[in-house]
């Protein structure tokens, strides 16, 4: 699995994951439960959306389209 999106929070990660899943791409969130430890961990890059290696290019295009629509 490869990271395709670094989310600023859990909500953003879930929104991206659902966009990918609606397009038929299997996606998961990693680091979701690290938000409670922010005082002890670096604040950025802890919550990421990951997909299968074969879906990286398509997932990144879907994310780019979603970001430009917002």
């Amino acid at each position: 699995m490869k990271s395709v999106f670094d989310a600023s929070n859990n909500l953003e990660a879930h929104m991206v994951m659902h966009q990918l899943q609606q397009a038929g791409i299997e996606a998961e969130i990693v680091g979701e439960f690290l938000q409670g430890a922010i005082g002890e961990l670096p604040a950025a890059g802890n919550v990421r959306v990951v997909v299968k290696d074969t879906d990286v290019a398509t997932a990144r295009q879907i994310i780019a389209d979603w970001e430009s629509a917002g």
Side-chain angles (χ1 to χ4, degrees):
M1 302 285 273
K2 290 200 176 180
S3 177
V4 292
F5 187 78
D6 289 331
S8 56
N9 57 54
N10 292 344
L11 178 60
E12 185 179 46
H14 277 274
M15 289 171 47
V16 169
M17 180 183 71
H18 290 298
Q19 288 292 321
L20 296 174
Q21 289 174 337
Q22 287 178 357
I25 295 175
E26 183 180 327
E28 296 176 14
I29 297 171
V30 295
E32 181 174 15
F33 300 108
L34 295 175
Q35 290 282 302
I38 284 298
E40 300 173 21
L41 297 170
N46 287 326
V47 182
R48 299 181 321 274
V49 178
V50 297
V51 299
K52 292 179 183 177
D53 294 359
T54 56
D55 292 329
V56 169
T58 304
R60 288 188 175 148
Q61 184 59 54
I62 290 167
I63 293 166
D65 293 345
W66 176 75
E67 288 178 318
S68 68

